Structure formats: structure tokens, C-alpha cells
């Protein structure tokens, strides 16, 4: 059997993320409504839902790129409040991969990867470079280390972005549609890296519409619509036997093609 | 150019080949750029004719028919019909140092040489001993201040004795090196979440931009003494330096704000997500990119500041233009304004053109192949 389609399985640990009755507004627009979510460490969660349903907003609340107005978010034992110390502590432990990579174009791949370890973790430069090289090897682009991001393909850039996050040695990784800006042939190379990561036991929350990935990797699939979590279930149940009609509609739409 | 017969390879076995040799050379360039179409040919011929008519005349006026040594205007006229550079030659030192005491001028020269070393060291990345020059550049301002002003064992020179190119350079360099950091702070302050900082910056920028520099210079020369407690004697040159710097800073702030706005939000988000603090993310991620795109505007502001320094003539400081005007009043040298203004123009042109070229070099060097 192909290793990639083998189900990734792990023992789950303690609570990594706890979101409790969380609400968020943009001005008067109520984007997130009563979000409750608990993520065990080692758990891999896929979030899906129609465009504008608040998926990005929700995962961006977890590292405080967006501020919630009501309820609690506790990440790795630290509650997210206005306290900058707490926010920085959470951000050190939570890596994020963006749809549009957000690599730093003025720095080389290597510098992109060593920047945070050097400035945030105060790792000595040579050590940071050794670690970066290790992760670049894992995402299979060590030979690009001295190029600038602008000289790489989209798939390579996204793999650098993943390596860059991993260099901080995070406990949790957030992915916001990491493959949706990529051409089809590059999607696989990025997904392979993510599957590998899942296999090693990383706690992951991925917003994605790659259902194959969800089936292979996820412990749980969450469906969001209009700012609410409508349904969540383990992948087989979720895809084969969706309960809510909005979920059914959504699945029928994305599975059509 | 004849192309070699291209060899065929089995699919999948094609080796890496060097890129093809592209035809070039002066003949080709001329044909493509000067004679590519009838309209182009006419333009080329017209331009050539205009050059033919103008250049020889200008050349002989400025060089072959010119006089370089003479005691006064009449002697010049008697010697030849061209430019009378003798005037400039005779007043050369006045143009350079103003009224700086003659015996102390070595101090200005020494400062100038050190300045060149510092500039080369800071701007040229592969300069030998760059590390030491960068360290030296930190003490250089104090050293330069001491050398030029005197005190502590050197004869004191007062700022009203300054003049000429030296004065222009002092105003230009102080203004340029201070307006960039102040402009950056103002631009960042303008984007601040703290209303007090934000509105203070906006107010400052809009006020300074809304007032002509000449007005500020007049304020500097006269009004400040009303505002300041009586008895404080605030050096005129220092006031001018402050005003010129603030004026350029306000423009600089807007140029840099443009650059800051061009940086995609994802850049700060990525930096935040990694746990970088505000200042680190500004210094390491946002500003390097924002300043890079702002280079043309920044250098534009520098050049503007540098040339605006000639306005100090209005409040009685004698920059090269002021020296030129004062010298033209001399009976022995009447009617030489062309030479004087041309000379001053060449001085400014050389400095400004150098800045412009350096900025192009910098843009090319910092280009990392990124296109948004
Ligand atoms: N900064 C903002 N200000 C106001 N409204 C916003 C802002 N950001 C997002 N929104 C709105 O919030 C809602 C949720 O946005 P979000 O980006 O979380 O959706 P999403 O589920 O990630 O969608 P997509 O699949 O298109 O990425 C959308 O209706 C969007 O228009
Ligand atoms: Mg989104």
C-alpha cells in the first residue's frame, strides 16, 4: 500500500488549544459566533467551509493575528489577552503557513529561515543555520538555500515557508489554505511535506479544501458556515455520512469536480 | 550572424548548452537605435545638426578661447573673446571656504578628506577596511564639529565665517544624514495606533509641508529669538540646519510612508506570527523593503534639500551662489555672471548627478528578483 494513503495515527496528548465561547466582530459584522473547539496535542484538524465563512479568521485568532472580543482562547496553557507577553509567548510556539507564502523577498531562503530563531529565540547564527538546513532538507530544497524567494516556484516557496515555521520548533502549526495559490502539479509536493509532518505527530490545524489530504491525515474535520462551527466529525463519518444539510450541500459542491 | 546547425538529441538526453551568442556591436546599435525608420533618421539628422551648430561654439567659448589667468575683466577681454575663468581662479578659495581664516583651512580640508573616506566606506560595500570606517563614522560627526568649529586647542572659528561650497556641504550633509532617520520616525509615527503620536506626526508633517522653506528660514533667522527666552543666543547656522532638516524630514516622511504602504500586509503578519516584536519586524522586514522601493523618492528629496540650501543666501549666509553674487559686485569683474552661475551650476550638477547615479546602483544591487 502507498505510504501516503496510509492513515496517519497517533496517541493524543493533553489540550493544546482550547477555544471557549469565542466571538469576534469586524465593526458591527459578527464574523465568528460562539466558537468552541478543543484540540489535543498531536491532533490534526482540517477546517473547511464556504468562502467567507470565517475559517481564516478563526485560525488567525489562535495566534492573535486577529483579536477576539468575547470568550477565551487558551493556547498551550497561555490565555490570549491584551498582554503582549502572552501573545509573544503563544506566537513563539505556534507556527503559521499562509496561502500566499509571505516569504520575505529581500532575504535569502536561509535568512528567511534563520531570522526568527536568531531574533526571537536568540539562537546563535551558525546553530540557526544548521537547523535551517536540516528543515530545508526535510522539505527537499536544501540546494535553494542561497536563492531569493522570488527565484523559486510557488511550490518551492510554500515549502520554504513551512521550513521557516518549523525552524522555530513550534508545538502547533496553523495552515491557512497552503495549497490554494498553487498550480496542481505543485500541490502534491506541499501536501507531501504536510503529511510527513503529521506523521511525526505535529499538532496541526489546516484550513484546506484538499479532501484527500483530510482523509489521509485528519483526526477530525470541522465544517464552518456563516461564522459558526456547523459540524465536526472524524473524516470517514464526515464525508460519508454528513448530518447537517449545509454540510451535505457543501460536500456535494466540492466533490462534484 | 549565421546560426550553427542545431544538433538533435534523443528526448531526455539534451545537455545544458551555453546561451546563444547574440549579435551586437556598434554598427548594429547605430542601425537599430538611430536609423531604424524614416522618422528616426530625420530626428537623428536634426539632432546631429543641432549638436554641430552648438557644441563647437560652446567648446571654444569655454576652453579654447577662454582666459584662465588675468588680473581683471579688462585684461580678460583684451586676451580673448571667450569665457573669463580668471575670475573664478582668483576667487577659488573664497568660493570654497568663504571667510574661513586662511591659516586654519587645513582643518576644513582634513574634514573633507575624512568625510570622503566615511562616505566611500558607508556606501561601497566591498571597500577595504569597511568595518573600521563604519566604527569611525560614529565618532566622525563629533570630530568634524571640533575640527571645523575649533576649541580644545584649536583656534575657534565662528559660523559667520563659513561660506562657499563648505557651507553647502555642511548644510547638505547634516540635512541628509538627519532627515532620513527623522523622516522614518515620522512615517512610522504617522501609522501608529497611539492617537497622540499619530496626530503629532500628522500635524508636524502637514505644517512643515504647508509652509515654504524660505518662510521657515526667515522664522529661523528672526522669529525664533522672540520665542526663545531672552538672552539665549542661538547660532544662526544651527537654526538654519534645524529648519532645513525638519523641512526635508517632512517630505522624507511622506516618501517613506508611500514605501511602507506598498509592503503587503502579509509581511508584517508573517513577522508577527513568528513572534518578532514591533521594532524588530520594522527594522528587519518592513523598513528594508519600504526604503528600497522609496530610494528614488528619498534621493529626490536629498537632491531637493541639497539645492534648497542655496536659499540661505536670503538670510545672509554666503553659500557659493551668495559668494558669486557678492563677487559680481566687484568693479574689476563686472559682467561675468554667466561664468559664475555656470561654475556654481556645475558644482551642484556634479554632486546631484553623483547622488542620482548612486541611487540607481543601489536599486540594482538590492534587486532580488521579486515581482509582486
Ligand atoms: N479585516 C476585515 N474587515 C472586515 N471584514 C472582514 C475582514 N476580514 C474578513 N472579513 C470578513 O469576514 C468574513 C470571514 O472572512 P474569512 O477570511 O475568515 O473567510 P474564509 O472562510 O477564510 O474565506 P476564504 O475561503 O475565502 O478564505 C468574510 O465575510 C470577510 O468578508
Ligand atoms: Mg481564508
Amino acid at each position: 500500500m502507498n505510504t501516503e494513503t496510509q492513515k496517519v495515527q497517533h496517541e493524543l496528548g493533553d489540550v493544546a488549544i482550547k477555544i471557549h465561547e469565542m466571538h469576534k466582530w469586524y465593526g458591527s459584522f459578527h464574523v465568528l459566533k460562539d466558537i468552541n473547539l478543543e484540540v489535543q496535542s498531536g491532533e490534526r484538524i482540517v477546517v473547511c467551509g464556504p468562502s467567507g465563512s470565517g475559517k481564516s479568521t478563526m485560525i488567525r485568532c489562535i495566534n492573535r493575528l486577529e483579536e477576539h472580543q468575547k470568550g477565551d482562547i487558551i493556547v498551550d496553557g497561555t490565555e490570549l489577552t491584551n498582554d503582549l507577553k502572552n501573545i509573544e509567548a503563544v506566537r513563539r510556539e505556534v507556527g503559521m503557513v499562509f496561502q500566499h507564502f509571505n516569504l520575505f523577498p529581500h532575504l535569502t531562503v536561509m535568512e528567511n529561515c534563520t531570522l526568527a530563531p536568531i531574533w526571537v529565540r536568540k539562537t546563535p547564527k551558525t546553530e540557526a543555520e544548521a537547523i535551517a538546513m536540516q528543515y530545508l532538507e526535510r522539505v527537499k530544497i536544501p540546494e535553494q538555500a542561497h536563492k531569493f524567494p522570488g527565484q523559486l516556484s510557488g511550490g518551492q516557496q510554500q515549502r520554504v515557508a513551512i521550513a521557516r515555521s518549523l525552524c522555530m520548533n513550534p508545538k502547533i502549526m496553523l495552515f491557512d489554505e497552503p495549497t490554494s495559490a498553487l498550480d496542481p502539479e505543485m500541490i502534491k509536493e506541499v501536501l507531501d511535506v504536510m503529511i510527513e509532518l503529521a506523521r511525526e505527530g505535529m499538532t496541526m490545524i489546516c484550513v484546506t479544501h484538499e479532501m484527500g489530504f483530510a482523509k489521509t491525515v485528519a483526526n477530525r474535520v470541522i465544517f464552518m458556515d456563516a461564522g459558526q462551527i456547523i459540524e465536526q466529525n472524524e473524516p470517514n463519518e464526515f464525508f460519508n455520512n454528513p448530518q447537517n444539510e449545509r454540510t451535505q450541500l457543501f460536500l456535494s459542491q466540492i466533490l462534484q469536480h | 550572424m549565421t546560426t550553427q546547425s542545431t544538433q538533435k538529441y534523443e528526448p531526455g538526453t539534451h545537455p545544458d548548452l551555453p546561451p546563444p551568442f547574440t549579435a551586437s556591436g556598434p554598427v548594429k546599435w547605430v542601425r537599430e537605435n538611430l536609423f531604424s525608420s524614416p522618422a528616426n533618421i530625420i530626428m537623428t539628422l536634426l539632432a546631429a545638426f543641432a549638436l554641430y551648430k552648438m557644441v563647437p561654439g560652446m567648446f571654444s567659448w569655454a576652453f579654447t578661447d577662454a582666459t584662465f589667468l588675468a588680473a581683471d575683466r579688462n585684461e580678460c577681454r583684451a586676451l580673448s573673446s571667450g569665457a573669463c575663468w580668471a575670475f573664478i581662479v582668483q576667487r577659488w578659495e573664497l568660493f570654497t571656504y568663504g571667510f574661513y581664516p586662511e591659516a586654519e583651512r587645513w582643518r576644513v580640508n582634513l574634514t573633507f578628506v575624512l568625510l570622503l573616506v566615511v562616505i566611500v566606506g558607508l556606501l561601497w560595500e566591498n571597500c577595504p577596511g569597511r568595518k573600521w570606517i563604519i566604527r569611525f563614522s560614529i565618532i566622525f560627526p563629533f570630530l568634524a564639529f571640533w575640527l571645523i568649529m575649533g576649541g580644545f586647542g584649536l583656534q575657534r572659528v565662528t559660523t559667520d565665517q563659513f561660506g562657499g561650497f563648505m557651507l553647502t556641504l555642511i548644510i547638505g550633509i547634516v540635512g541628509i544624514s538627519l532627515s532620513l532617520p527623522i523622516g522614518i520616525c515620522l512615517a512610522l509615527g504617522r501609522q501608529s495606533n497611539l492617537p497622540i503620536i499619530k496626530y503629532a506626526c500628522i500635524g508636524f508633517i502637514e505644517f512643515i509641508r504647508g509652509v515654504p522653506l524660505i518662510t521657515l528660514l526667515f522664522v529661523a533667522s528672526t522669529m525664533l529669538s522672540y520665542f526663545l527666552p531672552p538672552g539665549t543666543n542661538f547660532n544662526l547656522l544651527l537654526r538654519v540646519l534645524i529648519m532645513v532638516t525638519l523641512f526635508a524630514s517632512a517630505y522624507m516622511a511622506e516618501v517613506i510612508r508611500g514605501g511602507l504602504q506598498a509592503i503587503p500586509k502579509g509581511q508584517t503578519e508573517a513577522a508577527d506570527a513568528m513572534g518578532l516584536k514591533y521594532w524588530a519586524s520594522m527594522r528587519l522586514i518592513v523598513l528594508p523593503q519600504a526604503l528600497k522601493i522609496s530610494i528614488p523618492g528619498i534621493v529626490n528629496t536629498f537632491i531637493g534639500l541639497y539645492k534648497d540650501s542655496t536659499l540661505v543666501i536670503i538670510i545672509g549666509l554666503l553659500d557659493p551662489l551668495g559668494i558669486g553674487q557678492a563677487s559680481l559686485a566687484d568693479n574689476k569683474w563686472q559682467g561675468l555672471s554667466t561664468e559664475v552661475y555656470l561654475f556654481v551650476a556645475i558644482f551642484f550638477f556634479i554632486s546631484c548627478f553623483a547622488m542620482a547615479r548612486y541611487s540607481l546602483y543601489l536599486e540594482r544591487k538590492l534587486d532580488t528578483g521579486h515581482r509582486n
Side-chain angles (χ1 to χ4, degrees):
Chain A
M1 200 168 143
N2 187 341
T3 49
E4 274 154 31
T5 52
Q6 243 167 47
K7 191 85 191 111
V8 179
Q9 256 154 17
H10 273 287
E11 294 291 303
L12 301 184
D14 353 324
V15 183
I17 302 171
K18 187 178 152 90
I19 303 179
H20 180 65
E21 293 178 6
M22 188 263 278
H23 294 254
K24 171 166 181 64
W25 288 262
Y26 280 125
S28 61
F29 172 49
H30 200 169
V31 229
L32 293 179
K33 301 166 184 163
D34 192 24
I35 303 286
N36 288 286
L37 179 67
E38 213 167 275
V39 182
Q40 256 68 46
S41 84
E43 200 174 6
R44 295 159 309 272
I45 293 191
V46 163
V47 182
C48 60
S51 181
S53 56
K55 308 178 296 291
S56 302
T57 311
M58 184 183 77
I59 71 162
R60 287 156 60 87
C61 282
I62 295 172
N63 63 355
R64 195 61 163 204
L65 288 183
E66 301 290 350
E67 190 181 333
H68 62 283
Q69 278 94 30
K70 217 177 139 196
D72 313 310
I73 302 178
I74 298 165
V75 182
D76 190 34
T78 310
E79 176 164 7
L80 281 172
T81 57
N82 279 327
D83 189 348
L84 274 181
K85 282 250 157 5
N86 285 2
I87 296 175
E88 279 159 14
V90 166
R91 285 175 177 170
R92 278 197 295 272
E93 305 306 330
V94 179
M96 185 161 205
V97 175
F98 301 85
Q99 182 175 2
H100 296 288
F101 330 134
N102 297 357
L103 292 176
F104 305 130
H106 62 303
L107 301 177
T108 61
V109 165
M110 179 54 89
E111 287 163 342
N112 264 278
C113 292
T114 54
L115 187 95
I118 291 175
W119 292 95
V120 180
R121 291 240 193 264
K122 314 283 178 216
T123 315
K125 187 163 176 250
T126 43
E127 194 183 321
E129 283 179 350
I131 297 173
M133 212 55 206
Q134 210 176 309
Y135 284 112
L136 287 173
E137 266 156 32
R138 269 184 45 187
V139 301
K140 307 197 178 59
I141 34 175
E143 72 285 357
Q144 313 286 4
H146 297 288
K147 288 197 183 163
F148 286 97
Q151 299 164 318
L152 304 185
S153 75
Q156 291 174 324
Q157 292 193 41
Q158 192 61 297
R159 285 185 282 151
V160 171
I162 295 175
R164 177 176 74 173
S165 288
L166 293 177
C167 284
M168 281 293 279
N169 197 14
K171 295 183 177 150
I172 300 165
M173 286 286 288
L174 307 174
F175 294 83
D176 189 358
E177 306 206 34
T179 56
S180 53
L182 297 179
D183 293 336
E185 72 270 25
M186 296 172 184
I187 291 180
K188 186 171 176 300
E189 64 190 46
V190 171
L191 288 182
D192 283 349
V193 169
M194 290 169 63
I195 291 170
E196 183 69 22
L197 203 56
R199 190 161 281 134
E200 285 160 21
M202 177 64 78
T203 312
M204 295 164 66
I205 301 186
C206 310
V207 176
T208 181
H209 292 150
E210 293 296 328
M211 291 308 148
F213 173 78
K215 285 176 191 158
T216 315
V217 162
N219 306 85
R220 212 174 349 148
V221 182
I222 288 180
F223 174 70
M224 288 184 74
D225 192 12
Q228 282 175 287
I229 295 182
I230 304 288
E231 184 167 348
Q232 46 179 312
N233 215 331
E234 62 90 23
N236 269 331
E237 270 301 289
F238 181 86
F239 289 114
N240 301 332
N241 189 15
Q243 303 296 312
N244 192 295
E245 61 188 81
R246 279 196 258 181
T247 321
Q248 291 159 2
L249 180 67
F250 176 74
L251 286 178
S252 70
Q253 277 166 351
I254 62 165
L255 295 179
Q256 258 163 23
H257 22 250
Chain B
M1 286 281 119
T2 52
T3 42
Q4 307 153 325
S5 62
T6 40
Q7 198 184 329
K8 291 291 170 207
Y9 299 93
E10 281 297 300
T13 63
H14 205 302
D16 295 340
L17 298 177
F21 177 75
T22 37
S24 60
V27 177
K28 182 163 179 283
W29 186 89
V30 165
R31 203 183 299 139
E32 280 182 2
N33 291 287
L34 300 180
F35 299 105
S36 62
S37 68
N40 193 344
I41 293 174
I42 292 173
M43 298 276 280
T44 304
L45 292 178
L46 280 177
F49 181 71
L51 287 176
Y52 168 73
K53 277 290 183 197
M54 284 158 52
V55 171
M58 274 179 355
F59 187 81
S60 54
W61 178 82
F63 299 103
T64 43
D65 290 349
T67 321
F68 292 90
L69 289 173
D72 61 20
R73 175 76 212 253
N74 289 333
E75 194 185 334
C76 252
R77 209 174 279 152
L79 282 170
S80 73
S81 60
C84 180
W85 299 119
F87 172 62
I88 308 280
V89 172
Q90 205 192 49
R91 302 278 167 119
W92 168 254
E93 304 224 307
L94 191 62
F95 272 107
T96 311
Y97 304 100
F99 304 100
Y100 206 89
E102 233 160 286
E104 304 296 323
R105 285 179 184 167
W106 62 270
R107 284 154 49 179
V108 179
N109 295 341
L110 176 62
T111 314
F112 183 68
V113 171
L114 292 176
L115 173 75
L116 285 184
V117 171
V118 167
I119 290 183
V120 169
L122 289 182
L123 300 190
W124 179 31
E125 210 178 4
N126 303 323
C127 169
R130 184 160 191 253
K131 225 171 73 187
W132 293 105
I133 296 179
I134 289 177
R135 280 183 205 163
F136 175 67
S137 71
I138 297 167
I139 54 164
F140 174 73
F142 305 100
L143 184 65
F145 182 81
W146 173 59
L147 277 173
I148 289 186
M149 300 289 293
F152 298 107
L154 289 179
Q155 187 199 321
R156 276 194 181 283
V157 180
T158 53
T159 52
D160 51 5
Q161 291 168 294
F162 293 6
F165 298 134
M166 170 192 158
L167 184 65
T168 304
L169 283 177
I170 291 177
I171 297 175
I173 288 175
V174 170
I176 283 175
S177 43
L178 293 181
S179 64
L180 185 61
I182 297 179
I184 291 174
C185 292
L186 286 171
L188 291 177
R190 192 168 183 164
Q191 298 194 325
S192 168
N193 294 328
L194 305 172
I196 296 182
I197 294 184
K198 181 173 172 178
Y199 290 108
C201 290
I202 294 181
F204 177 84
I205 292 170
E206 297 306 342
F207 172 72
I208 298 276
R209 281 204 305 173
V211 178
L213 178 57
I214 295 193
T215 317
L216 289 177
L217 290 176
F218 274 125
V219 171
S221 76
T222 56
M223 304 243 312
L224 272 186
S225 19
Y226 295 119
F227 298 142
L228 294 169
T232 36
N233 193 3
F234 202 11
N235 183 294
L236 179 61
L237 177 61
L238 182 58
R239 297 183 205 175
V240 166
L241 284 177
I242 293 176
M243 286 306 179
V244 168
T245 305
L246 293 184
F247 189 76
S249 307
Y251 280 88
M252 194 65 78
E254 287 300 284
V255 168
I256 293 170
R257 186 165 70 98
L260 289 174
Q261 280 174 347
I263 305 302
K265 207 158 158 274
Q267 293 288 306
T268 35
E269 285 182 353
D272 287 348
M274 294 171 145
L276 283 178
K277 295 192 167 78
Y278 174 81
W279 283 109
S281 116
M282 284 299 144
R283 191 164 59 83
L284 300 167
I285 308 299
V286 179
L287 280 175
Q289 298 182 59
L291 292 179
K292 188 187 112 187
I293 13 182
S294 313
I295 289 174
I298 291 175
V299 174
N300 207 16
T301 312
F302 282 167
I303 290 178
L305 177 155
Y306 191 70
K307 292 193 297 183
D308 280 352
S309 69
T310 50
L311 288 174
V312 298
I313 187 178
I314 291 174
I315 57 167
L317 294 184
L318 290 175
D319 79 319
L321 217 49
I323 302 258
Q325 272 187 1
S327 310
L328 284 175
D330 188 337
N331 276 335
K332 285 189 344 185
W333 297 101
Q334 300 247 300
L336 289 176
S337 47
T338 316
E339 284 87 340
V340 169
Y341 289 126
L342 196 62
F343 173 62
V344 175
I346 289 171
F347 165 75
F348 275 98
F349 179 77
I350 290 174
S351 344
C352 295
F353 188 65
M355 285 193 249
R357 296 308 299 180
Y358 180 74
S359 91
L360 284 182
Y361 155 79
L362 202 59
E363 278 176 60
R364 228 167 312 147
K365 198 187 77 174
L366 295 179
D367 187 12
T368 58
H370 176 76
R371 299 278 177 278
N372 270 321

